[in-house]
Amino acid sequence: MSPGRADIRAALLALAARRGPGKTFCPSEVARGLAADWRPLMPEIREEAARLQAEGHVQGFQRGHPVDPATVRGPIRLGLPRG
């Protein structure tokens, strides 16, 4: 059974809180924690990260710069919003 949106949301928020301010994580860390076959979850995780970013709960980063997880291509990191 695949995790739902609420599970993904909770896992993203929990990992961001555990890492704390100034620390980031790869979205695949969340996917790996939710399913053994984690790769198919990545689009859903990015979509939920984008929703959380729009709500001001997390921020996407690429090479240290803020990005939109819904539109940026390539690897990203997620963390708590800065300042």
Side-chain angles (χ1 to χ4, degrees), residues 1-3 12 15-17 26-27 31 36 44 52-54 56-57 65 69 71 74-75 79 82:
M1 181 182 218
S2 182
L12 285 164
L15 188 50
C26 181
E44 293 175 68
L52 287 169
Q53 180 167 303
H57 299 297
H65 301 285
T71 59
R82 295 179 183 160

Side-chain angles (χ1 to χ4, degrees), residues 46-65:
R46 278 205 180 205
E47 288 171 14
E48 192 58 35
R51 282 190 281 272
L52 287 169
Q53 180 167 303
E55 296 170 10
H57 299 297
V58 300
Q59 174 67 57
F61 299 95
Q62 190 173 59
R63 296 185 190 111
H65 301 285

